Coordinates of all heavy atoms in Angstrom, one line a residue:
A351 N 46.3 4.6 -4.2 CA 45.5 5.8 -4.6 C 44.3 5.4 -5.4 O 43.2 6.0 -5.2 CB 46.4 6.8 -5.3
Y352 N 44.5 4.5 -6.3 CA 43.4 4.0 -7.1 C 42.2 3.5 -6.2 O 41.1 3.8 -6.4 CB 43.9 2.8 -8.0 CG 44.5 3.3 -9.4 CD1 45.7 2.6 -9.8 CD2 44.1 4.4 -10.1 CE1 46.3 3.0 -11.0 CE2 44.7 4.8 -11.3 CZ 45.8 4.0 -11.7 OH 46.4 4.3 -12.9
H353 N 42.6 2.6 -5.3 CA 41.5 2.0 -4.6 C 40.9 3.0 -3.6 O 39.7 2.8 -3.3 CB 42.1 0.8 -3.7 CG 42.4 -0.3 -4.7 ND1 43.7 -0.6 -5.2 CD2 41.6 -1.4 -5.1 CE1 43.6 -1.7 -6.0 NE2 42.4 -2.1 -6.0
R354 N 41.6 4.0 -3.1 CA 40.9 5.0 -2.3 C 40.0 5.9 -3.3 O 38.9 6.3 -2.8 CB 42.0 6.0 -1.7 CG 42.8 5.5 -0.5 CD 43.4 6.6 0.2 NE 44.3 7.4 -0.7 CZ 45.6 7.1 -1.0 NH1 46.2 6.0 -0.4 NH2 46.3 7.8 -1.7
A355 N 40.4 6.2 -4.5 CA 39.6 7.1 -5.3 C 38.4 6.4 -5.8 O 37.3 7.0 -6.2 CB 40.5 7.6 -6.4
F356 N 38.4 5.0 -6.1 CA 37.3 4.3 -6.8 C 36.8 3.1 -5.9 O 37.1 2.0 -6.3 CB 37.8 3.9 -8.1 CG 38.4 5.0 -8.9 CD1 39.7 5.0 -9.3 CD2 37.6 6.0 -9.4 CE1 40.2 6.0 -10.0 CE2 38.1 7.1 -10.2 CZ 39.5 7.0 -10.5
P357 N 36.1 3.4 -4.8 CA 35.6 2.3 -4.0 C 34.3 1.8 -4.4 O 33.8 0.8 -3.9 CB 35.5 2.9 -2.6 CG 35.1 4.4 -2.9 CD 35.9 4.8 -4.2
E358 N 33.7 2.4 -5.5 CA 32.3 2.0 -5.9 C 32.2 0.6 -6.2 O 33.1 0.0 -6.8 CB 31.9 2.9 -7.0 CG 31.9 4.4 -6.8 CD 33.2 5.0 -7.2 OE1 34.2 4.3 -7.4 OE2 33.2 6.3 -7.3
E359 N 31.0 0.1 -6.1 CA 30.7 -1.3 -6.6 C 29.5 -1.2 -7.5 O 28.6 -0.4 -7.3 CB 30.3 -2.3 -5.4 CG 31.5 -2.5 -4.5 CD 31.2 -3.6 -3.6 OE1 30.2 -4.2 -3.6 OE2 32.0 -3.8 -2.7
D360 N 29.5 -2.1 -8.6 CA 28.3 -2.2 -9.4 C 28.0 -3.7 -9.6 O 28.7 -4.4 -10.2 CB 28.6 -1.6 -10.8 CG 27.4 -1.5 -11.7 OD1 26.5 -2.3 -11.5 OD2 27.4 -0.7 -12.7
R361 N 26.9 -4.1 -9.0 CA 26.6 -5.6 -9.0 C 26.2 -6.1 -10.4 O 26.0 -7.3 -10.5 CB 25.5 -5.9 -8.0 CG 25.9 -5.6 -6.5 CD 27.0 -6.6 -6.2 NE 27.6 -6.3 -4.9 CZ 28.6 -7.0 -4.3 NH1 29.1 -8.0 -5.0 NH2 29.2 -6.6 -3.2
L362 N 26.1 -5.2 -11.3 CA 25.8 -5.7 -12.7 C 27.1 -6.6 -13.2 O 26.9 -7.5 -14.0 CB 25.5 -4.6 -13.7 CG 25.4 -5.0 -15.2 CD1 24.1 -5.8 -15.4 CD2 25.3 -3.7 -16.0
F363 N 28.2 -6.2 -12.7 CA 29.5 -6.8 -13.2 C 29.9 -7.9 -12.3 O 29.7 -8.0 -11.1 CB 30.6 -5.8 -13.1 CG 30.3 -4.7 -14.2 CD1 29.7 -3.6 -14.0 CD2 31.0 -4.8 -15.4 CE1 29.4 -2.6 -14.9 CE2 30.8 -3.8 -16.4 CZ 30.0 -2.8 -16.2
S364 N 30.4 -9.0 -12.9 CA 30.8 -10.2 -12.2 C 31.9 -10.0 -11.3 O 32.0 -10.6 -10.2 CB 31.2 -11.3 -13.2 OG 32.2 -11.0 -14.0
S365 N 32.8 -9.0 -11.6 CA 33.7 -8.5 -10.5 C 33.2 -7.1 -10.3 O 33.4 -6.1 -11.1 CB 35.2 -8.4 -11.1 OG 36.0 -7.8 -10.1
P366 N 32.6 -6.8 -9.1 CA 31.7 -5.6 -9.0 C 32.5 -4.3 -8.8 O 32.0 -3.3 -8.6 CB 30.9 -5.9 -7.8 CG 31.7 -6.9 -7.0 CD 32.5 -7.7 -8.0
V367 N 33.9 -4.4 -8.7 CA 34.7 -3.2 -8.4 C 35.6 -2.9 -9.6 O 35.9 -3.7 -10.4 CB 35.5 -3.3 -7.2 CG1 34.6 -3.5 -6.0 CG2 36.4 -4.6 -7.2
S368 N 36.1 -1.7 -9.6 CA 37.2 -1.3 -10.5 C 38.5 -2.0 -10.1 O 38.8 -2.2 -8.8 CB 37.5 0.2 -10.5 OG 36.3 0.8 -11.0
T369 N 39.3 -2.5 -11.0 CA 40.5 -3.3 -10.7 C 41.7 -2.5 -11.3 O 41.6 -2.1 -12.4 CB 40.5 -4.7 -11.2 OG1 40.4 -4.7 -12.7 CG2 39.3 -5.5 -10.6
F370 N 42.8 -2.5 -10.5 CA 44.1 -1.9 -10.9 C 45.2 -2.8 -10.6 O 45.6 -2.9 -9.4 CB 44.2 -0.6 -10.2 CG 43.0 0.3 -10.3 CD1 42.0 0.3 -9.3 CD2 42.8 1.2 -11.4 CE1 40.8 1.1 -9.4 CE2 41.7 2.0 -11.5 CZ 40.7 1.9 -10.5
E371 N 45.8 -3.4 -11.6 CA 46.8 -4.4 -11.4 C 48.2 -4.1 -12.1 O 48.3 -3.9 -13.3 CB 46.3 -5.8 -12.0 CG 45.0 -6.3 -11.3 CD 45.4 -6.6 -9.8 OE1 46.4 -7.3 -9.5 OE2 44.6 -6.2 -9.0
P372 N 49.2 -4.0 -11.2 CA 50.5 -3.9 -11.8 C 50.9 -5.2 -12.4 O 50.6 -6.3 -11.9 CB 51.4 -3.7 -10.5 CG 50.7 -4.2 -9.4 CD 49.2 -4.0 -9.7
T373 N 51.4 -5.1 -13.7 CA 51.6 -6.4 -14.4 C 53.1 -6.5 -15.0 O 54.0 -6.8 -14.2 CB 50.6 -6.5 -15.7 OG1 50.7 -5.3 -16.4 CG2 49.2 -6.6 -15.1
R374 N 53.3 -6.1 -16.3 CA 54.6 -6.3 -16.9 C 55.7 -5.4 -16.3 O 55.3 -4.2 -16.0 CB 54.5 -6.0 -18.4 CG 55.7 -6.3 -19.2 CD 55.5 -6.0 -20.6 NE 55.2 -4.6 -20.9 CZ 54.7 -4.2 -22.1 NH1 54.4 -5.1 -23.0 NH2 54.4 -3.0 -22.3
R375 N 56.9 -5.9 -16.1 CA 58.0 -5.2 -15.7 C 59.2 -5.5 -16.6 O 59.5 -6.6 -16.8 CB 58.4 -5.4 -14.2 CG 59.4 -4.4 -13.7 CD 59.2 -4.3 -12.2 NE 60.0 -3.1 -11.7 CZ 59.8 -2.6 -10.5 NH1 58.8 -3.1 -9.7 NH2 60.5 -1.6 -10.1
R376 N 59.7 -4.4 -17.3 CA 60.8 -4.7 -18.2 C 62.1 -4.9 -17.5 O 62.3 -4.5 -16.5 CB 60.9 -3.6 -19.3 CG 59.7 -3.4 -20.1 CD 59.9 -2.3 -21.2 NE 58.7 -2.1 -22.0 CZ 58.2 -2.9 -23.0 NH1 59.0 -3.9 -23.3 NH2 57.1 -2.6 -23.6
A377 N 63.0 -5.6 -18.2 CA 64.4 -5.9 -17.6 C 65.2 -4.7 -17.4 O 65.0 -3.7 -18.2 CB 65.1 -6.9 -18.5
N378 N 65.9 -4.5 -16.3 CA 66.7 -3.3 -16.2 C 68.2 -3.7 -16.3 O 68.6 -4.0 -17.4 CB 66.4 -2.7 -14.8 CG 66.4 -3.7 -13.6 OD1 67.1 -4.7 -13.6 ND2 65.6 -3.5 -12.6
V379 N 68.9 -3.8 -15.3 CA 70.4 -4.1 -15.4 C 70.5 -5.7 -15.4 O 69.7 -6.3 -14.9 CB 71.2 -3.5 -14.2 CG1 71.2 -2.0 -14.3 CG2 70.6 -3.9 -12.9
S380 N 71.6 -6.1 -15.9 CA 71.9 -7.6 -16.0 C 72.6 -8.2 -14.9 O 72.8 -9.4 -14.8 CB 72.5 -7.9 -17.4 OG 73.8 -7.2 -17.4
N381 N 73.2 -7.3 -14.0 CA 74.0 -7.9 -13.0 C 73.5 -7.3 -11.6 O 72.8 -6.3 -11.5 CB 75.5 -7.5 -13.0 CG 75.6 -5.9 -13.3 OD1 74.9 -5.3 -14.1 ND2 76.5 -5.3 -12.5
V382 N 73.8 -8.0 -10.5 CA 73.3 -7.7 -9.2 C 73.8 -6.5 -8.6 O 73.2 -5.8 -7.9 CB 73.5 -8.9 -8.3 CG1 73.0 -8.6 -6.8 CG2 72.7 -10.1 -8.8
N383 N 75.0 -6.2 -8.9 CA 75.8 -5.1 -8.2 C 75.7 -3.8 -8.9 O 76.6 -2.9 -8.7 CB 77.2 -5.6 -7.9 CG 78.1 -5.8 -9.1 OD1 77.5 -6.2 -10.1 ND2 79.4 -5.7 -9.1
T384 N 74.7 -3.5 -9.7 CA 74.5 -2.2 -10.3 C 73.2 -1.7 -9.9 O 72.1 -2.4 -10.1 CB 74.6 -2.3 -11.9 OG1 76.0 -2.7 -12.2 CG2 74.3 -1.0 -12.5
I385 N 73.1 -0.4 -9.5 CA 71.8 0.2 -9.2 C 71.2 0.7 -10.5 O 71.9 1.4 -11.3 CB 72.0 1.4 -8.3 CG1 72.4 0.9 -6.8 CG2 70.9 2.3 -8.3 CD1 72.8 2.1 -5.9

């Protein structure tokens, strides 16, 4: 959705587009067999 909504470029910037990056994910359950 982000990339559809903001396709603009601005060549003043060294990365000319808006960026949206998933980063940190916190720990959830400690065992494999729990949803």
Side-chain angles (χ1 to χ4, degrees):
Y352 278 141
H353 287 94
R354 284 196 305 271
F356 307 110
E358 302 92 345
E359 294 188 7
D360 186 339
R361 291 296 170 181
L362 176 66
F363 291 86
S364 56
S365 177
V367 296
S368 297
T369 60
F370 308 93
E371 293 300 312
T373 55
R374 181 178 65 194
R375 192 150 191 166
R376 297 191 183 275
N378 49 32
V379 294
S380 58
N381 55 309
V382 174
N383 60 333
T384 293
I385 290 173

